[in-house]
Amino acid sequence: MHTRRMLLAAGCLSAFSTLTTLQYAQVAGGDANAVPTESDVVILSPFLVEGDTGWSASETLSATRTKQALKDVPVNIDAVTADFLQDLDVGRADDVISYIAGVYVAPIMENDNQQDNLAFRGLAQRGNLGRNYFRWYAPSDSYNVERIDFGKGSNSLIFGEGEPGGQGTIFTKRAQFRNFGRISAQVNSEGAYRVQLDVNRKISDTLAFRLNAVDRIERTFQDASEFGLRGATGTLTWTPFKNTQIRVEYETGDFENSRGFAGLNIREISGRSRGFENGVTYTSDGDYFYSANNARPGIPNNDFTHPAVDGVTVYRLRSGNPDLSSGNRPAGATLSLLDGSAFDVIMRNPAGQVVGTQRVEGLPKEYNIRGAFDRQGRPFDTFTATWEQRVGDVSFEVAYNRQSQSQERTDNYFSQTLGVDVNGRLYTSSTLDLKTFETLTHAFRATAVYDFDRWENFKQLIVVSGEYLEDNVVNDRWVYANTAFVDQGLVPDLNSHDRARLRLYLDDPQFYSRALFERMKPAALPDVPGLVTLRPIHRQDFISADARSGDGSRWRQMSAASVSLSGRYFDGRLQSLLGLRRDFNRVWDWKSNRREGPYREDVMTTMRKDAVAGDYVENLNLRTATTSYTTGLTYRLNRGINLYGVVSESFLFQDAFTFDRVRIGPAEGQTKELGIKGNLWGNKVAVTLGVFEIDRVNSIKSFNGVGPDLNADELEDLMNPNDILPTDPAFQGAMRDRNSASRNYLSTEASKGFDVTLLLNPVRGLQARLTLAMADVKSVPDLANLRGYYDAAVARGDESPILLEDVRSLLSMIDLPNRATGARAAKYSASWVVDYGFARDSNRLLQGVRLGLNGSWRDNYLLGRTAEGRDIEGGQSHLVNAYIMRDQKIFDRNVRVRLGVRNLVDLENSDVRKTSYSELTTGEVVYRYSYVMPPMVDVTVSMNF
């Protein structure tokens, strides 16, 4: 690999030493013959697409990474311009996805970590939108976005590793050779705000600088639920010689989020005990309950009140106590508990007999019971440097990108599923977990382009590219644990009986108040000398012998070489694309077994450069290479319309396992597509229509967050008879790498359908964007093992009825051959945007006024199938937004005042929509619901200067 890097560096230096002639045309001010452009400098670069005005884009880089007309490339690309983002007042980049045919992202209140929720053409994918063709892990905001290209179908030629449904990439704003600026401020009815600045200055004929900055807080209908960003981007464009352009960009920021729930749930049946879990639980009553097995004789065996800690009692729960039995906890179906509704929980006594019901009233929907300590920070900074040159007829681009991104997350919020204990007390629980996921990336890219046009009927645009990536992912996890017994030497090690948990009773006199959540913060919990001392420690083997704080950490090297030929024949009537790419991959996984300190904590995970020998071990399963191709044709039917066809491939290196430790190989995909694109009726209509068929193998699916929430302990209970202990060689272990990994299963998928996008300008002042998509997704899950474990457990009769019911319910939701579940699987979706601007000769009050109405519709989709084989559907939505704005001169400045209403109405729902379902013990099927986002009014004032 060192040799490969040296060769890449030598090649770059060799190219630079011969660069001489990148062409720029200086536009003279006031020259009647000057070419009208947005900039004082016309860049004849094949690697840049200039900013389009209006909603329609004419060129793209997403076929070969070089500039070509959108209608001439045999790839389905939906380009969104800066003007469209501005007119619709799109803040988060994810929000624009509602208007892209065949692309879906979960709403903000249903997308906890703001990643891994994209789906193209019904096929889910990991990660977020890319950035200037570099990988990007954090969310994105529109404040520094010039345009977004959504490429449909497999396209490893451009994007490298990826899913076959498609990829999106964001192009950031560049410094231009003219002076301009824009400032805007927004407030809305929920108390949210947004302030944004864009300043560009031409410093000299060869140097330009641009600054973009944003400070925003988005709020929802729920208390303490807000999504913030403070970010700034500085860019330089320097043309030291007429043959050379250098661009530098630096961005820093932090997404600071406090999240909410889109709905609360409750268990159908009460517990037959108080239903505590192993570990130390602190309750809002101000007491501790701790468990220890009978093999820990040194631990105090009685309830204890310490005289120095007023009002705190420590209760001992020995093994066999019914309060510790998972079978005695709240049971039955999980049901929505909505604002204004009520549910009669079936009450059981300690013997398990039904003794009546207890009515539980729904909480106000603005109540956010996650607690005051929920936090998700996403700090990041990134630096990019790009150098362009031309040598004769050959153009070169060399780019370097460095990204440092983190996710700092507390997963100690209180659960959205409530339970009632045997005493009739309504409660919610939480573990005390903290996590940081950090990524440091260095990426290099070098590209050469040669336009071979010497033969009239055989012209070829030849693009050769090389890439190199180093990517270090560093994960650390913490939990709180009771260290008192280890501190006193009563036990040698921490184990699962020392893990700290919280329980909040909703009948607490301070519920619902900030004070209650504040006193449940870890720092506020009392110590009881000799019995309870809570400390945050790294995740280690007291939770699982297989889990480590740094699980998932890895250092990766990737390199790739690609070549593509874009041919033009018969005066451009026929065009071709042929591309070939070869990718190489190596991965070193964090495998450190080092411990430190009196509690034998995992050592802090470090970057590979700071690690010691043995911390990182090469994963030979990922020492691999793959070849992918793209081939397509475009045929000009007439002057405005082209017919295209493409066959393309995608790949994704992965060394993953199913929940029961079966290895999953690399994912592969193939797209076949035919379509038309171009303009009709004097450019009054722009159309892109694609009919596709996509196949994907080795697709990883997860039942994390789908139906009952099974953890690794419960899966191991299911997989093993109770007389087989973890120390037995016959014991079948579950994956414990991470929560999602411990719930993986394998699937093969196919998607067939079409998507169409229309841009209309039928009459002066009226413009519209319409999309319609159909994706028929067939998924064949491989759940034979899970069903086999379930059948064996039923036959044994030694497992908790609650566990068996949860597994049965889960299988009914996900074991659906030739069907796909979830919002991505909605067969039909559409969007529409209509905007009308009054003409200059209109009434004076209407001059500069524009009216807009837009909506996004998604059809019902399969939620799951009941035990009797009945399909359950739901999730349909059709949110509508509206705006009115006026542009006019104030003190010789262009000013825009915009009044908008988001979520004006959901044409398919009222206040809630169906998002899941449960089966009651009676066999009745009931839906679970999420709240529909209520209307929000915002006012934005912008000024150009």
Side-chain angles (χ1 to χ4, degrees):
M1 284 298 171
H2 290 299
T3 302
R4 193 173 296 154
R5 275 182 282 179
M6 291 174 64
L7 289 172
L8 177 61
C12 295
L13 290 173
S14 175
F16 291 156
S17 67
T18 58
L19 302 175
T20 57
T21 66
L22 182 61
Q23 301 296 317
Y24 294 96
Q26 298 294 333
V27 179
D31 184 354
N33 296 319
V35 179
T37 66
E38 185 176 301
S39 168
D40 291 340
V41 180
V42 179
I43 304 173
L44 303 180
S45 166
F47 305 107
L48 295 174
V49 172
E50 296 307 307
D52 294 285
T53 58
W55 292 3
S56 180
S58 58
E59 296 176 325
T60 186
L61 302 175
S62 294
T64 61
R65 284 215 190 113
T66 58
K67 181 167 58 181
Q68 292 176 277
L70 262 172
K71 69 183 183 66
D72 288 343
V73 297
V75 181
N76 191 327
I77 299 164
D78 201 342
V80 175
T81 66
D83 280 354
F84 183 81
L85 297 174
Q86 182 176 298
D87 288 346
L88 268 65
D89 202 22
V90 172
R92 298 182 310 115
D94 280 0
D95 289 342
V96 76
I97 291 174
S98 301
Y99 306 103
I100 306 302
V103 185
Y104 169 79
V105 68
I108 192 168
M109 291 288 280
E110 301 172 31
N111 185 358
D112 239 15
N113 297 321
Q114 297 185 62
Q115 65 182 35
D116 300 335
N117 275 278
L118 277 171
F120 282 71
R121 292 175 164 175
L123 301 178
Q125 69 176 53
R126 301 175 186 178
N128 288 326
L129 299 175
R131 182 74 67 92
N132 298 318
Y133 295 121
F134 290 110
R135 300 175 189 276
W136 188 254
Y137 299 97
S140 291
D141 188 271
S142 65
Y143 83 99
N144 63 346
V145 173
E146 189 65 50
R147 64 181 262 169
I148 309 176
D149 277 11
F150 294 89
K152 316 287 184 64
S154 307
N155 195 348
S156 284
L157 177 65
I158 298 302
F159 297 103
E161 270 194 311
E163 305 283 5
Q167 298 284 333
T169 192
I170 288 171
F171 297 96
T172 52
K173 296 175 180 178
R174 304 186 309 272
Q176 301 178 29
F177 285 88
R178 63 188 180 94
N179 292 332
F180 63 87
R182 182 181 180 87
I183 186 170
S184 65
Q186 180 187 92
V187 294
N188 82 359
S189 54
E190 294 288 347
Y193 68 87
R194 180 185 184 92
V195 180
Q196 187 172 320
L197 176 68
D198 182 358
V199 180
N200 192 99
R201 285 296 177 264
K202 176 184 175 182
I203 299 173
S204 70
D205 289 340
T206 61
L207 184 64
F209 172 75
R210 189 170 187 174
L211 172 67
N212 285 273
V214 66
D215 182 5
R216 56 101 159 155
I217 292 289
E218 294 184 11
R219 291 194 171 96
T220 71
F221 60 87
Q222 257 184 356
D223 296 337
S225 173
E226 56 184 39
F227 303 85
L229 168 64
R230 285 187 176 181
T233 305
T235 66
L236 281 171
T237 300
W238 184 33
T239 60
F241 315 105
K242 69 174 184 178
N243 308 320
T244 307
Q245 184 181 87
I246 297 171
R247 298 188 301 277
V248 177
E249 175 182 313
Y250 176 75
E251 180 181 4
T252 185
D254 188 2
F255 292 88
E256 185 76 23
N257 302 325
S258 298
R259 301 161 293 182
F261 291 129
L264 288 179
N265 305 313
I266 189 168
R267 279 287 198 173
E268 175 191 9
I269 305 172
S270 80
R272 39 189 300 195
S273 73
R274 289 177 294 182
F276 290 106
E277 298 184 58
N278 275 350
V280 178
T281 300
Y282 180 76
T283 74
S284 56
D285 292 340
D287 297 323
Y288 283 108
F289 292 79
Y290 75 88
S291 65
N293 59 30
N294 296 325
R296 304 178 97 197
I299 305 303
N301 193 33
N302 58 304
D303 298 344
F304 187 86
T305 301
H306 198 282
V309 186
D310 186 35
V312 177
T313 300
V314 181
Y315 295 91
R316 170 67 182 273
L317 304 174
R318 295 192 64 80
S319 297
N321 189 305
D323 281 327
L324 289 176
S325 170
S326 62
N328 291 337
R329 295 172 192 154
T334 302
L335 308 162
S336 287
L337 189 63
L338 299 173
D339 187 356
S341 71
F343 181 75
D344 293 324
V345 175
I346 299 171
M347 297 299 298
R348 297 184 295 177
N349 64 18
Q353 298 170 325
V354 174
V355 294
T357 62
Q358 177 172 307
R359 172 150 291 202
V360 177
E361 302 288 340
L363 300 179
K365 72 176 183 179
E366 65 269 18
Y367 276 24
N368 183 354
I369 67 167
R370 280 182 186 261
F373 38 71
D374 180 65
R375 177 180 180 271
Q376 184 199 50
R378 300 292 294 265
F380 66 93
D381 64 78
T382 180
F383 170 81
T384 304
T386 306
W387 190 337
E388 285 193 36
Q389 299 283 13
R390 177 175 292 210
V391 178
D393 294 330
V394 181
S395 296
F396 294 88
E397 179 193 67
V398 178
Y400 163 71
N401 175 253
R402 178 195 182 277
Q403 295 178 30
S404 176
Q405 303 186 32
S406 298
Q407 183 175 173
E408 301 167 356
R409 196 169 82 209
T410 58
D411 281 355
N412 54 1
Y413 51 79
F414 288 105
S415 171
Q416 70 186 111
T417 299
L418 310 178
V420 177
D421 71 9
V422 69
N423 299 316
R425 301 189 73 185
L426 185 66
Y427 70 89
T428 177
S429 298
S430 168
T431 55
L432 292 173
D433 296 350
L434 302 97
K435 302 174 182 177
T436 62
F437 305 121
E438 183 180 357
T439 303
L440 178 63
T441 303
H442 298 276
F444 301 84
R445 183 174 66 228
T447 307
V449 180
Y450 174 55
D451 191 0
F452 179 83
D453 59 357
R454 299 180 184 179
W455 300 343
E456 183 157 343
N457 288 319
F458 189 81
K459 299 178 180 180
Q460 298 288 327
L461 183 69
I462 305 170
V463 182
V464 180
S465 184
E467 300 177 33
Y468 177 76
L469 172 86
E470 290 185 0
D471 194 35
N472 208 156
V473 175
V474 174
N475 296 337
D476 271 301
R477 300 169 176 86
W478 288 263
V479 300
Y480 280 78
N482 178 24
T483 65
F485 302 138
V486 175
D487 293 340
Q488 299 171 76
L490 298 178
V491 293
D493 278 312
L494 296 169
N495 66 28
S496 61
H497 296 278
D498 299 304
R499 187 172 186 183
R501 306 177 191 275
L502 297 176
R503 174 173 290 192
L504 174 67
Y505 288 109
L506 274 66
D507 61 4
D508 190 284
Q510 287 188 309
F511 186 86
Y512 163 79
S513 71
R514 180 83 181 190
L516 171 61
F517 292 116
E518 289 290 337
R519 63 181 169 87
M520 297 296 285
K521 284 185 174 181
L525 303 188
D527 281 348
V528 180
L531 291 175
V532 178
T533 301
L534 297 184
R535 291 194 178 96
I537 62 174
H538 289 83
R539 180 175 180 174
Q540 53 178 310
D541 59 358
F542 80 86
I543 294 173
S544 163
D546 302 309
R548 295 291 181 267
S549 172
D551 283 346
S553 300
R554 51 114 179 98
W555 186 72
R556 176 173 59 170
Q557 285 183 323
M558 291 183 64
S559 56
S562 64
V563 60
S564 66
L565 302 175
S566 295
R568 306 183 301 283
Y569 318 99
F570 311 114
D571 197 27
R573 178 170 291 274
L574 180 66
Q575 302 185 57
S576 65
L577 172 62
L578 177 63
L580 187 68
R581 180 182 173 109
R582 180 72 171 170
D583 283 82
F584 305 87
N585 187 68
R586 293 182 72 179
V587 171
W588 285 258
D589 292 323
W590 175 265
K591 294 294 184 181
S592 177
N593 289 317
R594 292 187 292 127
R595 303 278 192 235
E596 61 185 4
Y599 312 116
R600 299 183 63 248
E601 298 180 58
D602 290 343
V603 296
M604 286 284 292
T605 317
T606 64
M607 295 290 176
R608 187 170 185 261
K609 63 183 178 62
D610 301 318
V612 303
D615 281 352
Y616 283 90
V617 177
E618 185 170 8
N619 185 335
L620 296 180
N621 294 309
L622 287 174
R623 186 170 184 171
T624 185
T626 190
T627 302
S628 54
Y629 72 89
T630 297
T631 180
L633 290 173
T634 303
Y635 179 73
R636 190 172 67 209
L637 295 176
N638 56 45
R639 186 173 181 179
I641 293 293
N642 288 350
L643 173 70
Y644 72 92
V646 65
V647 178
S648 56
E649 291 183 336
S650 68
F651 71 93
L652 184 64
F653 294 126
Q654 56 187 23
D655 183 38
F657 294 82
T658 63
F659 69 93
D660 57 346
R661 297 178 174 274
V662 176
R663 186 181 300 280
I664 301 173
E668 299 175 350
Q670 184 185 73
T671 297
K672 300 174 183 176
E673 183 169 346
L674 289 172
I676 61 171
K677 56 174 68 175
N679 299 287
L680 298 168
W681 300 304
N683 294 329
K684 291 184 180 296
V685 177
V687 59
T688 300
L689 166 65
V691 181
F692 60 84
E693 178 179 332
I694 304 174
D695 294 300
R696 176 166 68 176
V697 298
N698 285 340
S699 175
I700 299 174
K701 300 299 175 191
S702 173
F703 48 83
N704 186 35
V706 180
D709 190 18
L710 298 177
N711 59 41
D713 289 336
E714 292 170 318
L715 287 167
E716 288 181 351
D717 286 345
L718 180 76
M719 294 157 60
N720 297 280
N722 286 346
D723 58 352
I724 296 181
L725 300 178
T727 54
D728 192 314
F731 184 83
Q732 175 72 46
M735 275 300 296
R736 292 180 175 271
D737 188 16
R738 283 147 293 178
N739 281 341
S740 57
S742 68
R743 298 159 188 169
N744 283 343
Y745 62 96
L746 183 63
S747 178
T748 298
E749 292 187 317
S751 178
K752 296 180 180 180
F754 68 87
D755 43 48
V756 58
T757 300
L758 297 172
L759 287 169
L760 310 174
N761 296 100
V763 296
R764 188 177 66 165
L766 179 63
Q767 58 181 339
R769 178 186 172 95
L770 311 176
T771 72
L772 176 65
M774 188 274 277
D776 186 9
V777 182
K778 298 188 182 302
S779 180
V780 182
D782 184 358
L783 291 164
N785 284 5
L786 181 59
R787 189 168 289 281
Y789 297 135
Y790 169 74
D791 291 340
V794 171
R796 292 196 310 265
D798 62 353
E799 298 302 339
S800 158
I802 297 174
L803 174 61
L804 295 178
E805 172 57 24
D806 282 350
V807 177
R808 186 206 64 77
S809 176
L810 177 67
L811 283 167
S812 74
M813 294 180 180
I814 64 176
D815 194 8
L816 307 172
N818 293 319
R819 299 294 301 273
T821 60
R824 71 180 179 94
K827 189 172 183 179
Y828 293 98
S829 60
S831 69
W832 51 275
V833 183
V834 179
D835 179 284
Y836 180 75
F838 289 92
R840 293 182 179 179
D841 56 1
S842 301
N843 182 282
R844 184 175 180 181
L845 292 176
L846 297 177
Q847 292 178 13
V849 173
R850 287 170 58 185
L851 305 172
L853 198 64
N854 55 77
S856 177
W857 172 76
R858 179 162 288 266
D859 199 5
N860 274 331
Y861 47 85
L862 183 65
L863 300 174
R865 183 174 294 163
T866 67
E868 295 75 27
R870 173 188 165 197
D871 287 349
I872 305 298
E873 294 188 335
Q876 193 175 39
S877 65
H878 192 165
L879 279 173
V880 177
N881 312 297
Y883 60 84
I884 179 172
M885 57 188 174
R886 180 170 184 169
D887 295 312
Q888 67 179 69
K889 291 266 190 180
I890 299 179
F891 300 118
D892 204 33
R893 302 291 185 189
N894 291 321
V895 175
R896 169 176 289 183
V897 179
R898 184 185 189 277
L899 175 66
V901 183
R902 302 178 193 272
N903 317 313
L904 177 64
V905 65
D906 186 335
L907 297 177
E908 299 288 354
N909 304 287
S910 54
D911 295 330
V912 295
R913 66 184 182 92
K914 303 169 184 174
T915 51
S916 187
Y917 75 97
S918 289
E919 295 183 61
L920 301 179
T921 52
T922 61
E924 180 186 358
V925 174
V926 293
Y927 285 102
R928 290 203 295 268
Y929 299 89
S930 292
Y931 289 114
V932 172
M933 293 291 282
M936 292 187 295
V937 179
D938 55 65
V939 177
T940 307
V941 179
S942 305
M943 181 180 70
N944 294 342
F945 57 89

